[in-house]
Amino acid sequence: MMFRISNNTRDMSGKTRVIYNSNFDLYAAPVTNWRDTFYCTMAPNPPEPHELLPPCRDILLEYSKQAMKLGVCVFELMSEALGLDRNHLVDIGCADGLAILGHYYPSCPQPELTIGIQDHTDNDFITFLLQDPIGGLKVFYQDQWTDVPPIPRALVLITNDKFVSSQHKVVANKVGPRVSVASFFTTGPIETSKVYEPITELLLEDNPAKYRGTIVKKYVDYYIAKGLHTSPLLHFKI
């Protein structure tokens, strides 16, 4: 079965709710990645059903609803773990936006010469990752790269700063294709002047703010412009 893909673009500004690409940072990153991606902005303004490819239309709409419910629950638990009101992270907008990314990594005849996706940290509040059985995800832990093997019916959680954002990558594989689904909680595509900054309740004289405040769009625009290979947090460090 063949489908026409019309929204093939590297424009990650959020103007288009459903896009397809390979290497959104092709002209900024030092290397290219062995994968294709479709990106769907599912909240707060989801695409119309006809904008989604028929094979994934119904499941994507339902999956995003369940991902949002799980995200709200995790944000509540994280708020409590930080000693904040249970609704703090939700109230400041961490669950206002959701993007679903489907990654397709073809089998690779020379994986030792290829990068599935280069090492990086994500640019959102939190990420849920659903892996297929092929595997290939690695995180940098205790000064070495460590495999994150797929566990049936389990999600990988990737968070940011106080819950340290994991540096991670995907290695190419002769076996494949590998497919993964990432749920990004991000407000990058939302036009807003809301400033995000270190949480006041967590700051002390001996624990001052490490980063200056910024709107998410500026943060995401910088992330996209410089590519995956360096953390955008360094640009905002005080």
Side-chain angles (χ1 to χ4, degrees):
M1 188 176 293
M2 299 286 291
F3 302 97
R4 180 174 178 267
I5 297 178
S6 58
N7 293 332
N8 192 302
T9 178
R10 293 187 178 88
D11 181 4
M12 301 293 289
S13 65
K15 296 176 182 177
T16 304
R17 289 178 293 191
V18 182
I19 64 175
Y20 310 87
N21 65 36
S22 295
N23 295 283
F24 76 88
D25 58 350
L26 179 64
Y27 301 111
V31 297
T32 55
N33 301 307
W34 187 265
R35 70 168 188 182
D36 295 313
T37 297
F38 75 82
Y39 179 106
C40 303
T41 299
M42 302 304 295
N45 301 308
E48 296 296 330
H50 72 266
E51 296 180 77
L52 302 171
L53 290 176
C56 61
R57 180 177 297 156
D58 293 339
I59 188 61
L60 186 55
L61 293 169
E62 179 60 26
Y63 186 87
S64 63
K65 291 178 183 177
Q66 300 304 323
M68 179 60 76
K69 290 180 181 178
L70 177 60
V72 169
C73 179
V74 170
F75 281 127
E76 290 175 346
L77 293 173
M78 291 172 67
S79 295
E80 291 185 337
L82 291 169
L84 303 169
D85 178 81
R86 180 178 179 85
N87 297 316
H88 186 95
L89 294 179
V90 173
D91 288 345
I92 65 174
C94 292
D96 285 355
L98 174 66
I100 302 293
L101 288 75
H103 296 310
Y104 178 91
Y105 301 84
S107 58
C108 180
Q110 294 181 291
E112 69 280 1
L113 302 178
T114 311
I115 297 175
I117 182 171
Q118 62 190 292
D119 58 284
H120 66 286
T121 55
D122 291 342
N123 68 332
D124 56 342
F125 296 116
I126 59 172
T127 303
F128 296 136
L129 182 69
L130 178 64
Q131 300 190 82
D132 73 2
I134 298 296
L137 176 67
K138 292 178 178 287
V139 298
F140 196 68
Y141 178 68
Q142 294 185 344
D143 297 324
Q144 62 182 345
W145 287 103
T146 303
D147 290 325
V148 183
I151 299 175
R153 304 177 68 85
L155 296 172
V156 178
L157 173 63
I158 302 171
T159 68
N160 214 340
D161 207 53
K162 188 69 176 179
F163 294 94
V164 177
S165 182
S166 301
Q167 187 179 5
H168 56 286
K169 65 180 180 179
V170 174
V171 296
N173 201 317
K174 284 187 177 181
V175 180
R178 176 185 187 269
V179 176
S180 65
V181 179
S183 302
F184 276 49
F185 285 82
T186 175
T187 56
I190 302 173
E191 291 291 340
T192 176
S193 59
K194 182 179 179 63
V195 174
Y196 285 89
E197 56 191 349
I199 297 172
T200 304
E201 291 86 343
L202 301 180
L203 300 180
L204 299 169
E205 185 175 346
D206 60 350
N207 184 38
K210 296 179 181 178
Y211 306 99
R212 54 189 171 89
T214 183
I215 61 173
V216 173
K217 187 177 187 306
K218 284 186 177 180
Y219 180 83
V220 173
D221 286 349
Y222 178 78
Y223 180 89
I224 292 171
K226 60 85 187 169
L228 289 174
H229 59 292
T230 57
S231 172
L233 282 175
L234 299 176
H235 180 69
F236 298 91
K237 198 172 184 66
I238 296 174

